mmCIF file of all heavy atoms in Angstrom:
data_model
loop_
_atom_site.group_PDB
_atom_site.id
_atom_site.type_symbol
_atom_site.label_atom_id
_atom_site.label_comp_id
_atom_site.label_asym_id
_atom_site.label_seq_id
_atom_site.Cartn_x
_atom_site.Cartn_y
_atom_site.Cartn_z
ATOM 1 N N MET A 103 -1.314 122.825 84.184
ATOM 2 C CA MET A 103 -2.345 123.083 83.188
ATOM 3 C C MET A 103 -3.604 122.280 83.456
ATOM 4 O O MET A 103 -4.623 122.455 82.810
ATOM 5 C CB MET A 103 -1.817 122.766 81.786
ATOM 6 C CG MET A 103 -0.672 123.657 81.355
ATOM 7 S SD MET A 103 -0.276 123.377 79.630
ATOM 8 C CE MET A 103 -1.769 123.969 78.843
ATOM 9 N N VAL A 104 -3.525 121.349 84.362
ATOM 10 C CA VAL A 104 -4.684 120.504 84.629
ATOM 11 C C VAL A 104 -5.386 121.002 85.883
ATOM 12 O O VAL A 104 -4.882 120.866 86.988
ATOM 13 C CB VAL A 104 -4.257 119.032 84.813
ATOM 14 C CG1 VAL A 104 -5.466 118.169 85.077
ATOM 15 C CG2 VAL A 104 -3.510 118.574 83.576
ATOM 16 N N GLY A 105 -6.542 121.597 85.725
ATOM 17 C CA GLY A 105 -7.251 122.195 86.853
ATOM 18 C C GLY A 105 -7.772 121.149 87.813
ATOM 19 O O GLY A 105 -8.061 120.032 87.435
ATOM 20 N N SER A 106 -7.903 121.554 89.067
ATOM 21 C CA SER A 106 -8.409 120.622 90.070
ATOM 22 C C SER A 106 -9.681 121.134 90.721
ATOM 23 O O SER A 106 -10.240 120.495 91.589
ATOM 24 C CB SER A 106 -7.338 120.405 91.152
ATOM 25 O OG SER A 106 -6.989 121.646 91.750
ATOM 26 N N SER A 107 -10.133 122.326 90.300
ATOM 27 C CA SER A 107 -11.339 122.864 90.910
ATOM 28 C C SER A 107 -12.553 122.115 90.408
ATOM 29 O O SER A 107 -12.514 121.467 89.381
ATOM 30 C CB SER A 107 -11.476 124.349 90.557
ATOM 31 O OG SER A 107 -11.745 124.490 89.182
ATOM 32 N N SER A 108 -13.638 122.217 91.158
ATOM 33 C CA SER A 108 -14.845 121.507 90.762
ATOM 34 C C SER A 108 -15.333 121.989 89.408
ATOM 35 O O SER A 108 -15.898 121.239 88.631
ATOM 36 C CB SER A 108 -15.928 121.707 91.820
ATOM 37 O OG SER A 108 -16.200 123.100 91.976
ATOM 38 N N GLY A 109 -15.074 123.280 89.098
ATOM 39 C CA GLY A 109 -15.507 123.811 87.812
ATOM 40 C C GLY A 109 -14.789 123.148 86.660
ATOM 41 O O GLY A 109 -15.366 122.878 85.614
ATOM 42 N N ASP A 110 -13.478 122.854 86.859
ATOM 43 C CA ASP A 110 -12.686 122.230 85.806
ATOM 44 C C ASP A 110 -13.013 120.753 85.662
ATOM 45 O O ASP A 110 -12.967 120.198 84.569
ATOM 46 C CB ASP A 110 -11.190 122.371 86.101
ATOM 47 C CG ASP A 110 -10.679 123.776 85.825
ATOM 48 O OD1 ASP A 110 -11.337 124.505 85.059
ATOM 49 O OD2 ASP A 110 -9.642 124.128 86.381
ATOM 50 N N SER A 111 -13.283 120.097 86.766
ATOM 51 C CA SER A 111 -13.449 118.648 86.725
ATOM 52 C C SER A 111 -14.884 118.198 86.472
ATOM 53 O O SER A 111 -15.130 117.029 86.181
ATOM 54 C CB SER A 111 -12.954 118.030 88.040
ATOM 55 O OG SER A 111 -13.712 118.539 89.127
ATOM 56 N N ALA A 112 -15.830 119.107 86.584
ATOM 57 C CA ALA A 112 -17.227 118.715 86.382
ATOM 58 C C ALA A 112 -17.448 118.162 84.983
ATOM 59 O O ALA A 112 -16.957 118.715 84.002
ATOM 60 C CB ALA A 112 -18.140 119.921 86.615
ATOM 61 N N PRO A 113 -18.173 117.053 84.851
ATOM 62 C CA PRO A 113 -18.421 116.451 83.533
ATOM 63 C C PRO A 113 -19.088 117.433 82.576
ATOM 64 O O PRO A 113 -19.840 118.308 82.987
ATOM 65 C CB PRO A 113 -19.351 115.278 83.857
ATOM 66 C CG PRO A 113 -19.097 114.977 85.298
ATOM 67 C CD PRO A 113 -18.812 116.303 85.937
ATOM 68 N N ARG A 114 -18.812 117.275 81.305
ATOM 69 C CA ARG A 114 -19.427 118.096 80.266
ATOM 70 C C ARG A 114 -20.479 117.270 79.535
ATOM 71 O O ARG A 114 -20.428 116.048 79.506
ATOM 72 C CB ARG A 114 -18.368 118.593 79.277
ATOM 73 C CG ARG A 114 -17.341 119.543 79.898
ATOM 74 C CD ARG A 114 -18.026 120.766 80.495
ATOM 75 N NE ARG A 114 -17.086 121.793 80.919
ATOM 76 C CZ ARG A 114 -16.698 121.991 82.166
ATOM 77 N NH1 ARG A 114 -17.144 121.180 83.126
ATOM 78 N NH2 ARG A 114 -15.874 122.965 82.479
ATOM 79 N N GLY A 115 -21.414 117.946 78.912
ATOM 80 C CA GLY A 115 -22.475 117.243 78.205
ATOM 81 C C GLY A 115 -21.971 116.476 76.990
ATOM 82 O O GLY A 115 -20.969 116.843 76.375
ATOM 83 N N LEU A 116 -22.685 115.421 76.639
ATOM 84 C CA LEU A 116 -22.320 114.608 75.479
ATOM 85 C C LEU A 116 -23.281 114.800 74.308
ATOM 86 O O LEU A 116 -23.031 114.275 73.207
ATOM 87 C CB LEU A 116 -22.283 113.130 75.874
ATOM 88 C CG LEU A 116 -21.136 112.748 76.822
ATOM 89 C CD1 LEU A 116 -21.343 111.318 77.335
ATOM 90 C CD2 LEU A 116 -19.795 112.879 76.118
ATOM 91 N N GLY A 117 -24.370 115.548 74.522
ATOM 92 C CA GLY A 117 -25.303 115.774 73.437
ATOM 93 C C GLY A 117 -25.770 114.467 72.829
ATOM 94 O O GLY A 117 -26.115 113.517 73.529
ATOM 95 N N SER A 118 -25.702 114.378 71.509
ATOM 96 C CA SER A 118 -26.165 113.162 70.828
ATOM 97 C C SER A 118 -25.027 112.203 70.480
ATOM 98 O O SER A 118 -25.224 111.239 69.738
ATOM 99 C CB SER A 118 -26.911 113.547 69.540
ATOM 100 O OG SER A 118 -26.072 114.290 68.673
ATOM 101 N N TYR A 119 -23.827 112.458 71.008
ATOM 102 C CA TYR A 119 -22.709 111.544 70.733
ATOM 103 C C TYR A 119 -22.994 110.175 71.338
ATOM 104 O O TYR A 119 -23.516 110.070 72.458
ATOM 105 C CB TYR A 119 -21.410 112.094 71.325
ATOM 106 C CG TYR A 119 -20.845 113.263 70.560
ATOM 107 C CD1 TYR A 119 -20.855 114.540 71.107
ATOM 108 C CD2 TYR A 119 -20.305 113.090 69.285
ATOM 109 C CE1 TYR A 119 -20.347 115.627 70.406
ATOM 110 C CE2 TYR A 119 -19.793 114.166 68.574
ATOM 111 C CZ TYR A 119 -19.813 115.434 69.140
ATOM 112 O OH TYR A 119 -19.317 116.499 68.437
ATOM 113 N N HIS A 120 -22.657 109.129 70.612
ATOM 114 C CA HIS A 120 -22.886 107.773 71.096
ATOM 115 C C HIS A 120 -21.831 106.842 70.522
ATOM 116 O O HIS A 120 -21.194 107.155 69.509
ATOM 117 C CB HIS A 120 -24.290 107.290 70.685
ATOM 118 C CG HIS A 120 -24.493 107.279 69.199
ATOM 119 N ND1 HIS A 120 -24.845 108.417 68.482
ATOM 120 C CD2 HIS A 120 -24.369 106.273 68.283
ATOM 121 C CE1 HIS A 120 -24.944 108.108 67.196
ATOM 122 N NE2 HIS A 120 -24.660 106.828 67.043
ATOM 123 N N VAL A 121 -21.639 105.707 71.179
ATOM 124 C CA VAL A 121 -20.663 104.737 70.699
ATOM 125 C C VAL A 121 -21.311 103.786 69.699
ATOM 126 O O VAL A 121 -22.530 103.646 69.653
ATOM 127 C CB VAL A 121 -20.059 103.910 71.863
ATOM 128 C CG1 VAL A 121 -19.225 104.793 72.758
ATOM 129 C CG2 VAL A 121 -21.152 103.208 72.643
ATOM 130 N N SER A 122 -20.466 103.145 68.912
ATOM 131 C CA SER A 122 -20.950 102.143 67.947
ATOM 132 C C SER A 122 -20.085 100.902 68.100
ATOM 133 O O SER A 122 -19.014 100.947 68.700
ATOM 134 C CB SER A 122 -20.855 102.687 66.516
ATOM 135 O OG SER A 122 -19.495 102.911 66.171
ATOM 136 N N ASP A 123 -20.549 99.805 67.556
ATOM 137 C CA ASP A 123 -19.801 98.563 67.678
ATOM 138 C C ASP A 123 -18.691 98.429 66.638
ATOM 139 O O ASP A 123 -17.814 97.584 66.782
ATOM 140 C CB ASP A 123 -20.747 97.362 67.558
ATOM 141 C CG ASP A 123 -21.686 97.259 68.754
ATOM 142 O OD1 ASP A 123 -21.238 97.603 69.865
ATOM 143 O OD2 ASP A 123 -22.853 96.865 68.568
ATOM 144 N N ASP A 124 -18.715 99.234 65.574
ATOM 145 C CA ASP A 124 -17.683 99.160 64.537
ATOM 146 C C ASP A 124 -17.230 100.572 64.171
ATOM 147 O O ASP A 124 -17.789 101.214 63.293
ATOM 148 C CB ASP A 124 -18.232 98.440 63.295
ATOM 149 C CG ASP A 124 -17.149 98.212 62.237
ATOM 150 O OD1 ASP A 124 -16.032 98.766 62.382
ATOM 151 O OD2 ASP A 124 -17.418 97.503 61.246
ATOM 152 N N PHE A 125 -16.199 101.042 64.858
ATOM 153 C CA PHE A 125 -15.736 102.410 64.622
ATOM 154 C C PHE A 125 -14.992 102.530 63.292
ATOM 155 O O PHE A 125 -14.830 103.624 62.766
ATOM 156 C CB PHE A 125 -14.830 102.861 65.774
ATOM 157 C CG PHE A 125 -14.670 104.354 65.853
ATOM 158 C CD1 PHE A 125 -15.740 105.203 65.626
ATOM 159 C CD2 PHE A 125 -13.442 104.918 66.168
ATOM 160 C CE1 PHE A 125 -15.610 106.586 65.700
ATOM 161 C CE2 PHE A 125 -13.288 106.287 66.254
ATOM 162 C CZ PHE A 125 -14.372 107.124 66.015
ATOM 163 N N CYS A 126 -14.531 101.420 62.748
ATOM 164 C CA CYS A 126 -13.878 101.468 61.431
ATOM 165 C C CYS A 126 -14.900 101.838 60.355
ATOM 166 O O CYS A 126 -14.561 102.448 59.344
ATOM 167 C CB CYS A 126 -13.237 100.125 61.093
ATOM 168 S SG CYS A 126 -11.708 99.779 62.015
ATOM 169 N N ALA A 127 -16.160 101.460 60.598
ATOM 170 C CA ALA A 127 -17.220 101.805 59.650
ATOM 171 C C ALA A 127 -17.718 103.222 59.903
ATOM 172 O O ALA A 127 -17.855 104.025 58.972
ATOM 173 C CB ALA A 127 -18.376 100.812 59.777
ATOM 174 N N VAL A 128 -17.941 103.556 61.166
ATOM 175 C CA VAL A 128 -18.458 104.887 61.504
ATOM 176 C C VAL A 128 -17.426 105.978 61.234
ATOM 177 O O VAL A 128 -17.740 107.027 60.686
ATOM 178 C CB VAL A 128 -18.875 104.927 62.996
ATOM 179 C CG1 VAL A 128 -19.233 106.345 63.416
ATOM 180 C CG2 VAL A 128 -20.049 103.995 63.230
ATOM 181 N N GLY A 129 -16.177 105.717 61.616
ATOM 182 C CA GLY A 129 -15.140 106.736 61.459
ATOM 183 C C GLY A 129 -14.249 106.528 60.254
ATOM 184 O O GLY A 129 -13.135 107.052 60.212
ATOM 185 N N LYS A 130 -14.686 105.762 59.294
ATOM 186 C CA LYS A 130 -13.865 105.434 58.126
ATOM 187 C C LYS A 130 -13.188 106.676 57.531
ATOM 188 O O LYS A 130 -13.864 107.636 57.161
ATOM 189 C CB LYS A 130 -14.727 104.770 57.052
ATOM 190 C CG LYS A 130 -13.921 104.244 55.861
ATOM 191 C CD LYS A 130 -14.834 103.511 54.887
ATOM 192 C CE LYS A 130 -14.061 102.961 53.689
ATOM 193 N NZ LYS A 130 -14.957 102.238 52.752
ATOM 194 N N PRO A 131 -11.842 106.689 57.442
ATOM 195 C CA PRO A 131 -11.106 107.852 56.950
ATOM 196 C C PRO A 131 -11.116 107.941 55.419
ATOM 197 O O PRO A 131 -10.102 107.702 54.752
ATOM 198 C CB PRO A 131 -9.688 107.620 57.489
ATOM 199 C CG PRO A 131 -9.557 106.129 57.529
ATOM 200 C CD PRO A 131 -10.929 105.613 57.903
ATOM 201 N N ASN A 132 -12.255 108.300 54.862
ATOM 202 C CA ASN A 132 -12.415 108.272 53.402
ATOM 203 C C ASN A 132 -11.438 109.171 52.655
ATOM 204 O O ASN A 132 -10.980 108.829 51.563
ATOM 205 C CB ASN A 132 -13.859 108.662 53.036
ATOM 206 C CG ASN A 132 -14.846 107.582 53.423
ATOM 207 O OD1 ASN A 132 -14.667 106.411 53.111
ATOM 208 N ND2 ASN A 132 -15.900 107.964 54.136
ATOM 209 N N ARG A 133 -11.130 110.339 53.222
ATOM 210 C CA ARG A 133 -10.222 111.240 52.527
ATOM 211 C C ARG A 133 -8.819 110.644 52.450
ATOM 212 O O ARG A 133 -8.154 110.704 51.422
ATOM 213 C CB ARG A 133 -10.192 112.592 53.242
ATOM 214 C CG ARG A 133 -9.474 113.686 52.465
ATOM 215 C CD ARG A 133 -10.231 114.021 51.187
ATOM 216 N NE ARG A 133 -9.533 115.025 50.402
ATOM 217 C CZ ARG A 133 -9.638 116.337 50.603
ATOM 218 N NH1 ARG A 133 -10.437 116.796 51.575
ATOM 219 N NH2 ARG A 133 -8.975 117.190 49.846
ATOM 220 N N LEU A 134 -8.370 110.049 53.542
ATOM 221 C CA LEU A 134 -7.054 109.407 53.557
ATOM 222 C C LEU A 134 -7.029 108.214 52.604
ATOM 223 O O LEU A 134 -6.019 107.938 51.949
ATOM 224 C CB LEU A 134 -6.739 108.942 54.984
ATOM 225 C CG LEU A 134 -5.299 108.536 55.297
ATOM 226 C CD1 LEU A 134 -4.341 109.705 55.086
ATOM 227 C CD2 LEU A 134 -5.197 108.033 56.729
#
Side-chain angles (χ1 to χ4, degrees):
M103 296 188 66
V104 180
S106 58
S107 68
S108 59
D110 284 339
S111 61
R114 295 301 189 260
L116 291 170
S118 59
Y119 286 110
H120 60 277
V121 293
S122 64
D123 292 325
D124 186 350
F125 199 40
C126 286
V128 172
K130 187 176 180 180
N132 290 310
R133 190 66 182 276
L134 194 61

